[in-house]
Amino acid sequence: MDARDADLKRELDATLHARRDLGEEYESALVDSFLEKVDQRIDGAVERRVRRQLAEQQMQTARDSRAPRVTDSWGERFGFGIVSLVLAVPLSAIGGGVARLPGLLIAWAGIVGVNVVQAVRTDPNLFGRRRKSSQDSRWED
């Protein structure tokens, strides 16, 4: 038995004892008083549940807002590839002209790095990473 249930049982016993002492003319007032206490208990329990559910919804909303959005449109990928190749030509020339082979390798490492980041951003499962779905992270009651 829960402590709150024990308190409620004590309240009921006290109400019944008071009814015996005071008589039937106070029965209505005693029952109303006891029912008011029961209503307060129920209201408190409902309020706690609602607060818990709201907190869970807010946490889920916060998790969803932090998750990166998948933007896997063909035009975006095509445009990024074109821009990447157009910029690769002068970067290769500058890197190779200034520092020869090491400069060229550094320029292309940067180009490849930027393209890998873009690819992972548009497809988070590209390298086998799995994101939890919102159904996997449900809270159990």
Side-chain angles (χ1 to χ4, degrees):
M1 183 180 282
D2 192 7
R4 291 178 293 203
D5 292 339
D7 289 342
L8 198 56
K9 185 175 186 315
R10 277 192 295 260
E11 290 289 335
L12 179 59
D13 289 340
T15 302
L16 291 174
H17 185 67
R19 189 220 177 252
R20 276 187 235 119
D21 289 345
L22 297 174
E24 289 186 20
E25 58 270 0
Y26 291 103
E27 182 176 341
S28 176
L30 291 171
V31 169
D32 288 343
S33 173
F34 179 73
L35 289 177
E36 181 66 31
K37 291 175 185 175
V38 170
D39 283 342
Q40 289 173 355
R41 299 278 175 138
I42 292 171
D43 289 345
V46 168
E47 186 177 334
R48 283 189 300 275
R49 284 183 184 165
V50 167
R51 272 192 264 140
R52 186 185 76 213
Q53 288 176 345
L54 284 175
E56 289 173 2
Q57 287 175 352
Q58 289 173 345
M59 288 177 64
Q60 186 63 38
T61 301
R63 282 189 198 117
D64 291 344
S65 68
R66 286 188 313 196
R69 302 285 182 218
V70 176
T71 56
D72 194 16
S73 70
W74 183 84
E76 182 180 350
R77 287 182 289 157
F78 182 73
F80 194 83
I82 295 295
V83 169
S84 179
L85 287 175
V86 167
L87 291 177
V89 173
L91 287 175
S92 298
I94 293 169
V98 172
R100 307 223 183 252
L101 183 61
L104 184 64
L105 292 176
I106 290 172
W108 274 96
I111 293 166
V112 169
V114 166
N115 281 285
V116 166
V117 168
Q118 174 67 10
V120 169
R121 188 181 75 78
T122 57
D123 185 9
N125 298 323
L126 184 64
F127 293 113
R129 293 186 318 175
R130 291 185 59 181
R131 294 197 181 273
K132 278 188 170 182
S133 69
S134 62
Q135 292 179 352
D136 291 342
S137 62
R138 267 191 262 156
W139 290 42
E140 294 183 16
D141 290 331

